[in-house]
Structures are given as C-alpha cells and as structure tokens.
C-alpha cells in the first residue's frame, strides 16, 4: 500500500548536537512515549509556540496592600465626611462655628491628600504593568 503524497517525508532537516544535548533529546522522546526521535522532534517543532507570562509576586503583593490601604483611607474619608456633615447641622450654635470651620479645612486637606495617594498608587501599578508588557514584547 502506497502512502499518500502528503504523508511521504522526503525533506531532511539537519542539526548538530553534542552528546549531552542528544542524550537530553532522547530522554525527552522516551518520556513523551514517541517511537522515534524524529517523530518527537516533528511534534515539538511543529506545535504553535507557547507564550509564558511572568508575574512579579512582590509587586502583586505590594499592589494588594496599597488597594487595602486605599480602601481603608476611603472608609476614613467617608466617616470624616459624615462627621463634618453632622457638624454643619450645629453651625447655628455659636460655640460650634469655629469647630465646623476647623473640620471643614481638615476635610479638604484629607481628601486632597487621599486623591494624591490614589493617583500615586495607580501610577505605580500602571508603570509596573507597562514595564512588564514591554519586557514580554521584547521576548
């Protein structure tokens, strides 16, 4: 019985290896349960490339910590906002006017600093992933 034209392999691809490389190739071929080194090499060479993405665990941990801090600051800001709102209800009492003004100023400072912290956290996060993406593109 004759093989179909597509199945007949008439072209040679040659490569040179040292003894260690050849032994490694033969070990891999045996582990893959391929009959011959040629069939194993064809399977490896003709498969689509595998893309591997690396994650920096310490950067991920850092970002997770920063998100936790951001959420905590957000909760503190929310509490501060509610407190200042309640103080505004006491604005008509002369003794509380100075307290209300003081907490209004503190509230503005807090939210200004909080926005800056959020911006820095996001900036660090996106810089990290831009560097990671550029490293993966160069590979």
């Amino acid at each position: 019985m004759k093989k179909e034209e597509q199945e007949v392999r008439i072209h040679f691809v040659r490569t040179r290896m040292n003894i260690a490389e050849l032994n490694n190739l033969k070990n891999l071929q045996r582990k893959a349960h391929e009959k011959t080194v040629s069939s194993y090499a064809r399977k490896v060479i003709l498969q689509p490339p595998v893309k591997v993405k690396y994650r920096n665990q310490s950067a991920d941990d850092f970002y997770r910590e920063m998100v936790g801090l951001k959420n905590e600051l957000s909760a503190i800001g929310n509490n501060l906002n509610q407190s200042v709102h309640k103080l505004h209800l006491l604005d008509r009492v002369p003794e509380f006017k100075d307290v209300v003004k003081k907490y209004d100023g503190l509230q503005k400072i807090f939210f200004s600093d909080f926005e800056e912290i959020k911006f820095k956290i996001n900036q660090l996060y996106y810089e990290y992933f831009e560097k990671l993406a550029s490293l993966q593109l160069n590979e």
Side-chain angles (χ1 to χ4, degrees), residues 68-85:
L69 285 173
K70 187 173 86 169
N71 292 341
E72 216 171 294
L73 282 171
S74 185
I76 292 168
N78 194 24
N79 291 341
L80 179 62
N81 210 14
Q82 289 173 359
S83 299
V84 170
H85 181 70

Side-chain angles (χ1 to χ4, degrees), residues 110-124:
F110 175 82
F111 282 111
S112 170
D113 290 349
F114 178 60
E115 288 302 315
E116 188 176 338
I117 290 168
K118 279 192 338 186
F119 176 77
K120 294 278 187 193
I121 289 171
N122 288 333
Q123 187 178 24
L124 286 170

Side-chain angles (χ1 to χ4, degrees), residues 29-82:
Q29 171 248 324
R30 274 188 237 113
K31 286 180 187 175
H33 302 290
E34 284 296 324
K35 289 183 182 179
T36 64
V37 173
S38 295
S39 63
Y40 173 72
R42 268 192 301 279
K43 281 191 174 183
V44 170
I45 292 169
L46 297 175
Q47 296 230 349
V50 176
K51 291 184 180 180
V52 179
K53 293 183 180 181
Y54 295 97
R55 298 282 306 232
N56 183 336
Q57 188 62 43
S58 62
D60 289 346
D61 293 342
F62 170 77
Y63 184 71
R64 226 175 275 116
E65 285 275 329
M66 291 300 108
V67 166
L69 285 173
K70 187 173 86 169
N71 292 341
E72 216 171 294
L73 282 171
S74 185
I76 292 168
N78 194 24
N79 291 341
L80 179 62
N81 210 14
Q82 289 173 359

Side-chain angles (χ1 to χ4, degrees), residues 1 3 5 7 10 18 25 36-37 45-46 58 60 63 66 71 80 88-89 102 105 107 111 114 127 137:
M1 216 164 143
K3 284 188 177 180
E5 223 174 283
E7 289 184 30
I10 58 173
N18 61 32
L25 180 63
T36 64
V37 173
I45 292 169
L46 297 175
S58 62
D60 289 346
Y63 184 71
M66 291 300 108
N71 292 341
L80 179 62
H88 274 285
L89 297 175
K102 179 181 175 186
Q107 181 188 29
F111 282 111
F114 178 60
E127 283 176 7
L137 289 176

